[in-house]
Amino acid sequence: MNTERSQGLDEGKMKKKPVLLGVAASLRNARWGAGSQKLLDSLADIEDEESLFSYLERESELHLENFVNAGRKDGKDFLEIYDALKKSKGDRGLSNSEIALAAALWAARNCGVEIDHLSLSEFFLPSGKVKNADLLRAKLLRADGLLLSGPVYFGDRGSLAQTFQNLICQDEEIRSHFQGKPYAGLAVGAKRNGGQETCLIYQMWDMINAGLLGLGNDSETTAQYGGTGHAGDVGTMHRDTYGLNTSMGAGRRIGSVLSLLSHEERVSDRLRVAFLILQDHEDRAYEWVSSVSEDCGESMRACIYALSDKRIMRCLACDICPTHIDVDEEYRCIIKSTNDYMGDIHRDLLYNDILIPVVMSRNDGAEVESNYQQFIERTRYLRRGDYVFSNNVVAPMVLEELGSRENMPMRIMTSMIRHHTIMTRPIVGHLHEGEILNGRQVASEFREMLEASRSIAGGRLAEVRSGLAETKYNPVGYILSADKNAEDEKRNERRVMMADRMQKYEREAEKRLAPDRVIERT
């Protein structure tokens, strides 16, 4: 499938082949200098997953051998071993987090992107100084996307990855370069539940706040937060097939989005934006987004849905969800009560370019009307219906009273990224004594989000026209749902559903003649 994807790209309507920079953030990295290019050459020669896994196993064993020869066989302490390893050529073996990175880079390359490799320990010295800063900057400024892999420390990234994050935030040229460029992460821990997901969430949060686009896995690996590897001892990551699959899923995801962004086409009409007000107080959030959208009326066709006071019932966590396979316009949640608002809004959630969940956070939460969690739960049938929101931009908007201790921007990110979406920087308005203190910043960030979304929307429709945009939900962990999926495949129902979805997107790609802008409260 990946080979077909790379061959199916319409090269005449794309920019130069995008460059994905794989960043290795472990002090135990086995590759640097000429060894980085040797790794890239090896990955280019691998034709299938079986050969990839064999290669990763050999390199993992070579890295263990590096440790043995550096002094482990002689019983030397780790400092002596580590010093000996640093004197090697950096062209043999792969550390655990490099194994995950290599798997992800191989998968991304099969999506038609150029891959590159960067070992942070080669540039960031223990003294705090940066070695070969010009080369480091050149690699970063050449990259169109970032894939960061490293070990987990106490549920978070290592300090080497943090130093890299600081560089992106503090260097004005590098930060500017990465605005609107995609990011994905990989994390390797000593236990299966060793903090990999928290590490990935924190890294994504920092990257999107620096202006990058946040991505998780692809639909083949359940679209979560990135690659999650399990490897404690040296030379063991290759045994974690699940972790390798999630890493390849993250590689495919960022590779596909880089290809999407490489299309020259941009939507020429106004962007279709759905504001979903899920938590409010005395209509303050509604008034805020109305004002913001009025200022950008020439750029978007906006609909504002005030949902915080509507009746939205709780998700029942059905064993089979959605209830049946059908076209997207068909509401397919088991809850059919006339008192439930999700059925009423169902069609309005389809075929948007941008989804904007909106919440208001107050010091006194007792006065807030909220349907936030009920709404998030009830989008389950849309995710499991082969990712209806796939490649929609999600831009959280939060009106936050100073002193409020809610963590709503991060909660929106972690929930909505699992819909196979593209996450942008949260837009947060700071409210004090009834006044929004950072109105100019909000307006600027909103316009930046719209500009980035125009390229994404155009690329998404161009991908549809090339026949490369289909996604499929993989019910990992749900035996009954998996059996139901297999039954649907036999009856061809899923193909009919996806064909209908693609036909609608193809008509969009041909026209996108926007009607007059509408702001309506429903």
Side-chain angles (χ1 to χ4, degrees):
M1 183 183 69
N2 290 331
T3 301
E4 292 174 0
R5 175 178 180 80
S6 63
Q7 292 173 347
L9 297 174
D10 186 351
E11 298 293 343
K13 295 184 178 180
M14 295 181 67
K15 305 173 185 176
K16 68 175 179 67
K17 183 179 286 190
V19 177
L20 173 61
L21 180 61
V23 180
S26 171
L27 289 174
R28 296 189 187 182
N29 286 343
R31 296 299 185 111
W32 60 82
S36 290
Q37 186 58 52
K38 187 175 179 181
L39 169 62
L40 297 173
D41 293 340
S42 296
L43 294 176
D45 291 335
I46 296 173
E47 296 183 354
D48 53 46
E49 284 189 15
E50 183 179 357
S51 300
L52 174 68
F53 289 168
S54 296
Y55 170 76
L56 297 178
E57 181 177 1
R58 289 195 304 272
E59 292 298 320
S60 193
E61 290 172 350
L62 284 173
H63 191 50
L64 176 58
E65 189 177 303
N66 290 340
F67 267 79
V68 171
N69 292 336
R72 177 176 281 187
K73 65 180 180 181
D74 300 321
K76 293 182 179 179
D77 64 37
F78 191 82
L79 279 178
E80 290 180 283
I81 295 172
Y82 184 64
D83 286 339
L85 287 171
K86 287 194 297 182
K87 296 174 183 177
S88 68
K89 294 181 179 180
D91 61 354
R92 183 176 183 271
L94 290 171
S95 68
N96 287 329
S97 54
E98 285 175 316
I99 291 286
L101 182 60
L105 287 173
W106 179 83
R109 187 179 183 278
N110 286 342
C111 293
V113 304
E114 180 184 344
I115 57 174
D116 198 2
H117 178 264
L118 173 68
S119 174
L120 293 184
S121 58
E122 178 182 356
F123 297 94
F124 296 120
L125 304 180
S127 65
K129 295 181 179 180
V130 179
K131 180 182 178 182
N132 296 328
D134 290 343
L135 176 58
L136 172 62
R137 289 174 57 81
K139 275 188 171 284
L140 292 173
L141 295 175
R142 180 175 176 266
D144 298 296
L146 288 178
L147 181 61
L148 176 61
S149 179
V152 175
Y153 281 86
F154 298 96
D156 203 344
R157 76 213 82 180
S159 58
L160 202 55
Q162 182 63 60
T163 300
F164 179 67
Q165 175 76 43
N166 293 343
L167 174 67
I168 292 175
C169 293
Q170 295 168 7
D171 187 298
E172 185 175 348
E173 184 180 11
I174 292 174
R175 182 180 179 120
S176 176
H177 171 75
F178 281 114
Q179 299 304 296
K181 289 182 168 57
Y183 158 81
L186 316 168
V188 179
K191 305 175 184 65
R192 170 55 63 203
N193 300 305
Q196 291 93 328
E197 287 202 329
T198 54
C199 175
L200 292 171
I201 288 167
Y202 297 150
Q203 283 188 170
M204 184 183 296
W205 177 252
D206 287 342
M207 287 294 186
I208 66 173
N209 275 295
L212 287 88
L213 303 173
L215 304 173
N217 308 81
D218 69 347
S219 59
E220 294 183 37
T221 46
T222 71
Q224 295 183 224
Y225 308 116
T228 53
H230 169 207
D233 292 330
V234 175
T236 57
M237 176 63 205
H238 70 279
R239 303 173 190 167
D240 180 20
T241 302
Y242 179 84
L244 292 176
N245 285 333
T246 60
S247 297
M248 288 189 290
R252 285 190 298 266
R253 180 71 179 126
I254 193 169
S256 67
V257 171
L258 280 168
S259 294
L260 178 155
L261 291 169
S262 292
H263 286 277
E264 294 282 4
E265 298 174 69
R266 293 157 57 89
V267 292
S268 58
D269 62 333
R270 282 170 284 190
L271 292 162
R272 300 174 182 181
V273 182
F275 291 91
L276 307 169
I277 300 179
L278 305 176
Q279 185 168 295
D280 205 354
H281 171 69
E282 296 181 350
D283 283 347
R284 287 304 307 269
Y286 172 76
E287 294 167 359
W288 181 49
V289 298
S290 296
S291 175
V292 171
S293 61
E294 287 285 357
D295 292 340
C296 298
E298 77 285 355
S299 301
M300 65 182 183
R301 180 184 186 271
C303 291
I304 302 176
Y305 301 95
L307 305 178
S308 61
D309 59 351
K310 298 295 191 292
R311 167 77 167 168
I312 298 179
M313 298 176 69
R314 303 181 196 279
C315 176
L316 301 177
C318 299
D319 52 3
I320 296 175
C321 175
T323 55
H324 61 284
I325 300 299
D326 210 326
V327 297
D328 290 338
E329 283 79 3
E330 178 72 19
Y331 173 67
R332 289 171 287 143
C333 178
I334 200 170
I335 298 174
K336 300 294 195 299
S337 171
T338 56
N339 294 326
D340 178 69
Y341 198 67
M342 286 299 291
D344 296 333
I345 198 179
H346 168 77
R347 293 196 176 200
D348 298 311
L349 297 175
L350 309 176
Y351 312 123
N352 295 289
D353 298 314
I354 308 171
L355 297 171
I356 304 184
V358 182
V359 299
M360 180 178 180
S361 293
R362 300 194 69 236
N363 291 322
D364 185 358
E367 298 182 16
V368 171
E369 290 181 318
S370 180
N371 265 324
Y372 173 78
Q373 199 59 46
Q374 290 97 310
F375 176 84
I376 292 295
E377 289 178 8
R378 290 291 303 286
T379 62
R380 183 174 183 250
Y381 77 97
L382 294 167
R383 179 178 186 257
R384 293 167 66 97
D386 284 350
Y387 298 102
V388 174
F389 295 155
S390 182
N391 285 334
N392 279 160
V393 171
V394 173
M397 289 189 69
V398 178
L399 184 60
E400 187 175 85
E401 277 190 348
L402 291 185
S404 170
R405 291 175 176 81
E406 284 192 299
N407 57 350
M408 295 306 297
M410 184 176 288
R411 286 175 63 187
I412 294 171
M413 179 194 78
T414 54
S415 293
M416 294 302 293
I417 197 70
R418 299 185 66 174
H419 279 278
H420 206 246
T421 56
I422 298 174
M423 189 67 53
T424 71
R425 172 168 40 208
I427 299 169
V428 181
H430 301 297
L431 188 67
H432 181 61
E433 296 182 354
E435 298 293 327
I436 297 175
L437 303 181
N438 61 329
R440 187 174 298 177
Q441 177 188 3
V442 165
S444 174
E445 290 182 355
F446 193 84
R447 288 187 178 275
E448 288 175 2
M449 180 272 296
L450 289 178
E451 183 61 25
S453 299
R454 190 167 297 281
S455 296
I456 295 169
R460 177 170 57 88
L461 294 177
E463 291 279 276
V464 171
R465 220 162 35 188
S466 302
L468 303 173
E470 292 189 12
T471 56
K472 177 181 174 181
Y473 181 80
N474 182 17
V476 174
Y478 295 91
I479 296 173
L480 291 176
S481 292
D483 290 344
K484 181 67 166 56
N485 275 8
E487 180 183 332
D488 293 333
E489 291 283 6
K490 291 178 183 177
R491 293 200 305 240
N492 213 32
E493 292 178 354
R494 187 183 297 277
R495 292 185 182 90
V496 172
M497 178 189 75
M498 291 306 299
D500 181 81
R501 184 184 297 177
M502 292 303 109
Q503 286 172 8
K504 290 181 173 66
Y505 283 140
E506 285 168 5
R507 289 195 291 270
E508 269 196 82
E510 292 301 320
K511 299 193 307 183
R512 285 306 301 265
L513 300 176
D516 291 337
R517 174 177 176 271
V518 176
I519 291 185
E520 53 189 48
R521 179 172 181 173
T522 63

